[in-house]
Amino acid sequence: MKRNNRDSADSARRITRRALLLGGAQLAFGGVLAMRMRYMQVDQADEFRLLAEENRVKVRLLPPARGEMFDRNGAVIAKNEPSYRIVLVPEDAGDVEQVIARLANLIELDPDELAKARKEISQNAPFRPVTLADRVSWEAISRVAVNAPALPGITPEVGLSRQYPLGPDMAHVAGYVGPVSDYDLSKIDAPDQLLLIPRFQIGKVGVEAKLEDSLRGKAGNKQVEVNSAGREMRELNRREGQPGANLQLTIDHRLQNYVQARLGRESAAAVVMDCESGDILCAASAPSFDPNLFVRGISVKDYRDLTENKYRPLANKAVQGLYPPGSTFKMVTVLAALEAGEVTPDETVYCPGHMEISNRRFHCWKRAGHGQVDLLTSLRESCDVYYYDLALRVGIEKISEMARKLGLGERYDIPMSAIARGRAPTKDWKLETYGQDWVVGDTVNASIGQGYVLASPIQLAVMTARMATGRALAPRLVKSINGVEQPIPSDAELDVNPEHLRLVRRAMYSVSNHRKGTAYGSRIIEDELRLAGKTGTSQVRNITAEERRRGVTRNEDLPWERRDHALFVNFAPYKDPKFAVAVVVEHGGGGSTAAAPIARDITLQALYDGEPPLEAYPKAARSKVKAQQERLRRERREFLKRESDRA
């Protein structure tokens, strides 16, 4: 009996424990459920109420600030400025035309902008915002905001727009931005949602385009409450985006400004390269254009004026332009001959004014000839026959190999648009390209930088810097990104005998400093700053035997597009090279008369880091230089005033 009582008591205790455990679990579950219900009904009440009431929480992308651009000294090349615009979301507007009509009663709408907006509305999804008015005043923004209840789907916005304070000076380097086009989107597999924002701006050419991913940044977003009329009531949440990276370029804007002004009305290009680092201090192309015209979409008239200009202002001739290098290529030929052991410095070649090769007469520029010519004299006086003779001994393969060592025929890894590779031709190249065998006449033409040889101004500057330093310098355009210094490209020793380079440098020195040198009139007077250079004149037409018999037509008597190109390359100072310069003047005539004076002036501007004294110039040139300096100063003042008035 006692045993049964004990069993009953134990059983009761077990039932009580189970009940307690089960009750505790139920209580815990009920507590969690109550807490969750409180969170949803109290803490998140506003959000869920809005979601329940026609899903009126809208998520808006927040465009990041585009990275800005500076020159090597911190001057602003590209910056952002506030811009106000009126945006319409068609699906929120209801009757779109009625809303536009109401808006037109409040602010002035540009007919062209309105036509563009209507086209976008018809082509895009109804949830895609469309810009109705851009760059509107604060007063207009205020009117729209006050009348928001009567303007469903309309939102006044403030954004950032690109501005280029230096105008045409940096247009070809920095490039420009413009609204995203259908063509832009077609080139991207999975476009960033930022690109779908109305009139969002992306880089089109130049650094703006090549470093678009770094400059653009990352989008943020905000959640906003809107009422039944589509008006934003309040902001619920915001996540800021990541601004784009700031870039510092290697360009010196003061030198760039001077060079653009010095090139003036010519169709020309000039490059200045630092012989220590490879930094591009100047990459000018003339004529230039105002990149600010493209930011909001250039007018048909302005665009036609640019594209129909025979001087091609939109082309960046400094890196895109390809030209026969003419006699500036002779240093390549002579170095190839020296390296191959085919010539010695004292060996002479007789120049009667021409050379007969394979039943064809190849002429020297000097009709009467130069007589007996050695290496130094051949470069100083630019004798063509000397190089015809070297070409027959050396052959095109070794000449082209030397050209590539010196940087020709190479596409450089710098963030600029449409960089041209140039051409250091070979026998295989001609066979593959034209299906024709290489002939000896091709080698003879190539030896003086004609025929199939092509080079850009930046390649000629690299070639000159490598000859000046004996190092395989490569160009650099970006100095730092967000304050982090970018690496200087490798500059190993050039695989050329240093003694051979010294011989060529000495000959280049005589070009500018010997009375018989082809660039003696464009020398620098101060001993410590003297330059070493080489003139070049490249033909763009064939001269017939009949024309030679009656006398070759002077450049100035020919139509502009049939005149010779003028070239000059140099480095300075001769004893301690700091800068390498290349200048090409399209259809400018002779290198000694058209290109050499410009290159000398640019070199002095770089050496003095500003306007040089008149004493640095030859006496015969000082009055002309003085007038030129005064004109350039006046033009600079006028430009700064125009920019100030525009701002």
Side-chain angles (χ1 to χ4, degrees), residues 60 92 148 151-155 225-233:
R60 309 278 195 209
D92 294 339
L151 299 169
I154 294 287
T155 306
E225 174 190 347
V226 295
N227 63 16
S228 57
R231 181 181 183 184
E232 292 187 10
M233 303 299 293

Side-chain angles (χ1 to χ4, degrees), residues 26 103 138 197 222 227 312 319 326 328 379 393 406 408 418 440 465 475 479 601:
Q26 290 176 334
L103 180 65
W138 176 249
I197 293 176
K222 64 177 180 178
N227 63 16
R312 301 175 298 121
V319 297
T328 64
L379 277 173
R393 301 190 226 172
L406 293 171
L408 305 185
V440 67
K479 191 173 189 300
D601 294 350

Side-chain angles (χ1 to χ4, degrees), residues 482-496:
N482 273 344
V484 178
E485 188 80 11
Q486 297 303 288
I488 293 175
S490 172
D491 62 344
E493 291 297 311
L494 204 59
D495 184 22
V496 179

